[in-house]
Amino acid sequence: MAHTGSDVCDTPLNGVPEGMDLLQIDVETDGPGRETAPFSRNVSRKLRHWERQLAAKKSKRRGEKQRRKLNREQESGTAAGAGNPQFTKRVMKAITKERLSEAQSTGLKLCVDLSMTDRMSDKEVSRLAGQLRRLYGSNKKAPRPFHLLLTDLREDSRLYRECLRMNEGFLNYMVDITEESCLDLFPPETIVYLTPDAEEALETVDADKVYVLGGLVDESIQKKLSLSRARELSVRTARLPIDEYMVKKNNAKNFHSKILPVNQVMDILLTFCDTGSWTEALQAWFPQGKGYVVAPEDRPPLPVSPSEI
């Protein structure tokens, strides 16, 4: 016998009329063991349109945020002084890398002779590693950096291990690191070894020369080690023109010294190459605690031609 519509509605199923059971909506579509019913084509199209609008709004907000940040940076640069544009860290890093790369090709050459570390204590070796970090930092910031070379640096040496330990990114420094000496790399007639014990004062920085700094921290004050090393190499020596541009200053300990760490010598050379003035370079970087001050009388800087710096 055929059932009528009322029969169907009145047939109970788990206590609920079967007709009403067909009208139940399952809201737990994301529960375990359930599959999401596919959207209709029209609903899917509307959903994609809504997602595109949302993404566009987010992108617009990001763009506005970046523009506001750029405007603040530009306003800060204007306040700091005209002609001093502000760059992002990424741009500054790229500019620095390009400048150092160019220096390795065409820059003035400066070697740090690291052949004397066997005469140094562990503490002195650690101090030298720190000085090399500061020396490299000064060269990175310079408008016209040197082409830096660390010579006589063996990978099995205490100094090499200390540089790796103390100086983050040491192996990425844009310097030439070699176990060879400066004589292995350059003709002896081009080398000028800078030592405070030399008789001749350095007058100019010549592009045809290779300048060498003795990598030495000597707390025990062993006399004239860098001068002895230069004589061993049979190369020309020179000193910073401290006597020519500075005078002794009275102090309680009556202490006067011309011996400087390699990073401070580097700062003086970089400033001289940038300004052509020994007075300005020594005034800026010679430590006051060494007992010397720039002479009070005005002295014109030694002439430096563009080809020499």
Side-chain angles (χ1 to χ4, degrees):
M1 179 182 294
H3 293 284
T4 64
S6 60
D7 292 335
V8 173
C9 293
D10 294 337
T11 303
L13 180 62
N14 294 328
V16 180
E18 185 176 350
M20 295 299 294
D21 183 61
L22 294 175
L23 296 175
Q24 288 182 346
I25 300 175
D26 190 351
V27 296
E28 297 179 349
T29 56
D30 292 334
R34 299 178 182 270
E35 295 181 358
T36 303
F39 292 111
S40 68
R41 183 177 301 176
N42 188 41
V43 172
S44 297
R45 184 170 61 250
K46 290 182 178 180
L47 180 61
R48 287 195 299 269
H49 177 69
W50 177 81
E51 288 174 342
R52 284 195 296 268
Q53 284 185 322
L54 182 62
K57 289 179 180 179
K58 288 183 178 180
S59 178
K60 183 179 180 180
R61 285 197 295 269
R62 284 196 300 267
E64 290 174 349
K65 184 177 180 180
Q66 291 175 349
R67 281 193 293 273
R68 287 195 298 268
K69 181 180 178 181
L70 181 60
N71 289 336
R72 287 195 301 268
E73 290 175 345
Q74 289 176 341
E75 290 172 0
S76 175
T78 302
N84 184 26
Q86 302 295 310
F87 298 105
T88 64
K89 290 183 178 180
R90 180 179 296 181
V91 171
M92 288 302 301
K93 186 175 181 180
I95 292 173
T96 299
K97 185 175 182 180
E98 182 178 355
R99 191 165 59 238
L100 290 173
S101 178
E102 183 178 353
Q104 287 184 303
S105 301
T106 62
L108 296 165
K109 296 177 177 61
L110 187 138
C111 301
V112 183
D113 176 14
L114 301 171
S115 63
M116 295 174 280
T117 54
D118 291 341
R119 307 185 188 187
M120 297 163 54
S121 68
D122 289 342
K123 180 181 178 181
E124 290 169 340
V125 168
S126 293
R127 288 185 58 190
L128 179 57
Q131 291 176 14
L132 293 177
R133 180 181 66 249
R134 291 188 287 273
L135 179 147
Y136 179 69
S138 294
N139 201 50
K140 280 178 61 177
K141 297 175 184 176
R144 301 174 63 183
F146 280 94
H147 174 193
L148 277 181
L149 302 97
L150 304 182
T151 62
D152 294 276
L153 181 56
R154 304 187 312 274
E155 291 189 6
D156 61 351
S157 66
R158 290 180 298 157
L159 178 60
Y160 188 88
R161 292 193 296 270
E162 199 66 5
C163 285
L164 291 178
R165 184 184 72 85
M166 293 181 59
N167 304 344
E168 183 179 355
F170 176 72
L171 295 180
N172 295 322
Y173 282 8
M174 295 189 68
V175 302
D176 293 343
I177 300 175
T178 176
E179 296 185 1
E180 296 180 294
S181 73
C182 55
L183 273 185
D184 296 324
L185 302 173
F186 305 105
E189 63 272 13
T190 66
I191 296 175
V192 180
Y193 205 111
L194 300 180
T195 167
D197 300 307
E199 294 182 2
E200 178 187 352
L202 185 66
E203 295 183 356
T204 63
V205 177
D206 192 337
D208 296 329
K209 301 296 183 183
V210 178
Y211 296 92
V212 181
L213 305 181
L216 181 67
V217 175
D218 183 19
E219 294 181 346
S220 60
I221 315 298
Q222 301 177 59
K223 297 294 184 181
K224 301 183 178 180
L225 280 181
S226 57
L227 181 62
S228 298
R229 172 61 174 164
R231 287 175 175 171
E232 177 186 327
L233 297 173
S234 299
V235 296
R236 175 190 164 193
T237 60
R239 56 176 172 78
L240 293 177
I242 297 170
D243 292 335
E244 288 72 17
Y245 289 87
M246 307 190 79
V247 294
K248 291 183 178 180
K249 180 182 180 181
N250 293 331
N251 57 74
K253 296 182 179 180
N254 194 30
F255 174 75
H256 304 90
S257 175
K258 303 173 187 176
I259 299 174
L260 302 177
V262 289
N263 58 292
Q264 291 179 345
V265 177
M266 179 69 155
D267 288 329
I268 291 171
L269 292 174
L270 286 169
T271 301
F272 173 72
C273 289
D274 190 38
T275 65
S277 170
W278 284 116
T279 297
E280 187 171 340
L282 293 168
Q283 179 76 55
W285 297 109
F286 197 92
Q288 294 183 358
K290 293 289 184 177
Y292 284 84
V293 294
V294 171
E297 62 271 18
D298 294 333
R299 297 183 183 182
L302 295 172
V304 182
S305 64
S307 62
E308 292 178 323
I309 62 174

